[in-house]
Amino acid sequence: MKRKLAAAIGIAGMMVSIAACGDGDGKGGAAGGGADAKELTVWLTVDAQNNWPQLVKAADAAVQKKHPGLKITHEYYGWPDKNAKLDAVLATDKAPDVVEMGNSEMLGYMVKGAFAPVDPAKFTNSGAWLDGLKTSVTYQGKTYGVPYYAGGRIATWRKDVFAAAGVKSTPKTYQELTADLDKVQKKQGSGFSAWYQPTRDWYAAMSFVYDAGGAIAKEEGGRWKASLSSPESLKGLKEFKNVVDRYMHGDKTKDESDRYIVFGQGKSGMIFGAAWEGATSADPKNDKTGKLKDNLENFVMPGPSGKNMPVFLGGSDLAIPVRSDAQALAAEWINAFTGPSGQKGLMAKGNLPNNKTDLATLKNDPATAVPATAAESNWFVPMAPGWGRVEKQQILQTMLQDIGTGKKSVEAAAKDADAAIDKVINTK
């Protein structure tokens, strides 16, 4: 569920005009006006159109039952197309009333005042929203969106490769994991990656940082300060380097974008990534070994701390543009779509729900227990005004590549990354 903030970075001028919109036109302020609107426009990604259109229809029907004659129009976009279109209309009267956002896209728009605040109390199960998703819709103490669904990260390995090295069951501790990996690495040799872990994969690396008690940055007195050089963060980064040095024998300048393709090529035994990656590797068009189907096993990644590894919690949120003149109806539609029946439908399609109550039910099903358990321990990016600039400059990726390739020591790379982050993280 990786969503980029780049599209949100260059819209400062447009957002100034949004912020300047007066409340007198009935389009600004909190999501409370527009209950008598006659039309509602909802923008979703093609995921909803292709995979759960019946849930969209059910939400429409629920709202239209309460508001006879209401016209609901849906537009569907691919992820890159959606943001380009949204940026073009946010400051106009053509803005949608509901828009789907990747949770890592939310921050740039909230900082610029693009979305109307909402009252969490009006949304079912808001008190149990998953921490990572709740963080993604919260800025400076206000809520600007509603979590839609989530996607976590898990470990996936090849049963045949590990069995050949004498490993019969998935590990419960990090010590067991590394012992198993050592066996595979010894048996397969240096041309094989027991754990294919792309060096520039900052989602995985920061899981090590947060597991060790560190953080990318922390807020102090209303300002954010990078903290990758803290003792805790350094501990996590050093263990990440240890993994890359011992088990990753591929190109150490790569990111995770084609990890599922590399895994399908048969030169690695394990990956730690988005829950969909293993299954996608086993797709016949990606599986060059012909052995991955029914041969992959998922498990919750154990952390060096002795607890489950905290994972980046990706997913989608729903927001109401501040220029919408149907904010109250938009909130009703979102609640109908993300409520209990909607979450049940989303879970049936393989998604993680937006709340801990429903998540707990998935832990009882062997088919969903691993991703559901893994998602319980999660982290999210610093909700700082300049975080989008940090991502755009790829500061974390550069640091990790310097560490993985040995260009810099862990301490030097972290110090340089902290300096680069501090220059931009508080800038809107």
Side-chain angles (χ1 to χ4, degrees), residues 2 5 40 50 69 78 82 93-94 114 132 148 165 169 175 211 216 254 292 310 343 367 387 399 421 425:
K2 183 173 63 176
L5 287 170
L40 192 69
N50 296 334
K82 183 260 305 177
D93 59 2
K94 303 297 184 181
Y148 174 9
S169 60
Q175 290 71 27
D211 179 71
I216 300 170
K254 294 190 67 171
L292 297 187
Q343 293 300 306
W387 175 252
M399 174 191 71
I421 290 171
I425 195 167

Side-chain angles (χ1 to χ4, degrees), residues 71-114:
K71 179 182 178 182
I72 303 177
T73 301
H74 296 279
E75 294 185 29
Y76 296 93
Y77 296 92
W79 284 102
D81 301 334
K82 183 260 305 177
N83 278 7
K85 176 74 171 182
L86 181 63
D87 294 349
V89 302
L90 272 177
T92 74
D93 59 2
K94 303 297 184 181
D97 302 299
V98 177
V99 62
E100 177 181 352
M101 304 293 296
N103 63 346
S104 63
E105 294 174 336
M106 283 290 295
L107 180 57
Y109 289 86
M110 293 190 295
V111 167
K112 301 301 182 183

